Amino acid sequence: MNEANEISRQTLLYGYIGEHAGASRISAVTNRLFKESAKDAMMIPMNIREDDFYFTLSNMKNSQVSAAYIANEYIEKVPELLDNASMLVKRSGACDLVFVENKTLRGELICVRAISEKLKDLRATKIAMIGVSPLAKAFSFLACGFNVSYFHDNLEELLAFSQELEIKEPDLNRIASGMEVDLNAFDAVLYFADFKECSMISALPKTVMDMNSQKHYSAMRIRAAELGAAYLGADEMIEELSKTIYTILTR
């Protein structure tokens, strides 16, 4: 951003698209990074309801917006609207960063990079990953250097997940209501599921992570609070996410 925080004809405009984008600090933190490095660019929060998401993203190619970061609740809706996509987007089925290039949309997936970097900062190597969602797939593709154990409530789906990703000798585990699962031996838990509750977890490590914001329900957020574990969701990861967004947009 320029010193006057003004938009000129030369200013590169980026969007942050989410159901509650205006309530998030991602745009403000990213704009601070632009200003600190004297980049004439600005990210604008765009509160978009689910019913309007497809129309908004489809028409971005005809707007003044050069790229947009997509909130977690919409990342699985993006790939079908893209003209071009990275291999990670194609293989995982999720996209959180969309570029406008010659009236076309190109997609990347970057939040898993921020997650990986945060885990490295925490010196967490032994990871319990819960779920088989697109983000779980994406993290698995980038999991070199981590010792990952996989958890899901359906073992058949978990086996299919491991086979699709060609994971060699995977550590597959069932986690479901009525069980008692102690995860304290891990350095961190990555929660990529949508369980209604996580009472089956009897113990957690110091850190648990998912990509839900405070505006969206997370059974893991509730269980982490009950068990006294540090919870890192999208709101707690804003600094890391914004740095990753900034790096990709200015590379």
Side-chain angles (χ1 to χ4, degrees):
M1 295 172 66
N2 54 44
E3 288 299 319
N5 296 335
E6 295 175 343
I7 297 176
S8 69
R9 290 185 178 181
Q10 288 72 42
T11 303
L12 288 174
L13 295 180
Y14 303 117
Y16 170 48
I17 297 175
E19 186 178 5
H20 306 285
S24 171
R25 292 175 48 246
I26 284 182
S27 296
V29 175
T30 305
N31 286 335
R32 185 195 73 205
L33 296 172
F34 287 143
K35 189 170 185 177
E36 289 174 353
S37 58
K39 301 290 185 183
D40 191 5
M42 182 179 289
M43 176 172 280
I44 302 169
M46 303 168 64
N47 290 336
I48 304 298
R49 298 177 304 177
E50 184 174 359
D51 291 346
D52 297 325
F53 177 75
Y54 287 108
F55 176 83
T56 300
L57 195 64
S58 298
N59 283 277
M60 198 173 82
K61 63 182 70 176
N62 299 312
S63 72
Q64 298 302 310
V65 176
S66 299
Y69 183 68
I70 312 297
N72 184 64
E73 63 266 21
Y74 293 146
I75 59 175
E76 294 179 37
K77 300 179 181 293
V78 179
E80 65 183 278
L81 298 173
L82 299 174
D83 299 291
N84 300 288
S86 69
M87 187 56 65
L88 188 59
V89 170
K90 292 178 180 178
R91 295 195 68 183
S92 69
C95 172
D96 61 8
L97 189 60
V98 179
F99 294 87
V100 179
E101 298 175 343
N102 298 319
K103 301 291 184 178
T104 67
L105 300 179
R106 176 177 64 83
E108 296 190 18
L109 181 62
I110 66 171
C111 68
V112 285
R113 301 184 193 182
I115 292 171
S116 295
E117 290 304 312
K118 185 64 175 180
L119 290 172
K120 292 175 184 177
D121 290 343
L122 295 171
R123 297 184 179 180
T125 57
K126 190 176 181 182
I127 311 298
M129 190 177 75
I130 302 174
V132 294
S133 71
L135 279 186
K137 289 183 181 180
F139 180 81
S140 298
F141 288 130
L142 302 178
C144 182
F146 297 107
N147 179 9
V148 182
S149 295
Y150 301 87
F151 292 80
H152 191 46
D153 57 354
N154 187 311
L155 277 180
E156 290 185 2
E157 290 182 5
L158 189 58
L159 179 59
F161 173 92
S162 67
Q163 292 173 340
E164 179 184 350
L165 272 60
E166 299 180 347
I167 302 170
K168 295 182 178 179
E169 300 181 358
D171 179 17
L172 306 181
N173 305 272
R174 185 167 181 264
I175 180 171
S177 297
M179 300 178 65
E180 183 173 328
V181 181
D182 186 338
L183 300 177
N184 188 53
F186 294 92
D187 298 324
V189 171
L190 293 183
Y191 179 72
F192 295 135
D194 58 357
F195 295 163
K196 292 182 178 179
E197 51 88 23
C198 289
S199 62
M200 76 289 286
I201 299 175
S202 60
L204 286 165
K206 292 182 179 180
T207 303
V208 297
M209 301 172 66
D210 69 21
M211 289 308 297
N212 288 301
S213 73
Q214 293 288 346
K215 295 288 186 179
H216 294 91
Y217 176 78
S218 169
M220 182 55 71
R221 182 194 301 119
I222 295 170
R223 192 58 176 155
E226 292 171 345
L227 296 177
Y231 170 84
L232 299 177
D235 299 288
E236 292 79 14
M237 287 282 291
I238 283 176
E239 290 290 337
E240 290 81 3
L241 286 169
S242 296
K243 288 177 183 177
T244 303
I245 294 167
Y246 168 84
T247 299
I248 299 299
L249 290 179
T250 59
R251 65 185 175 184

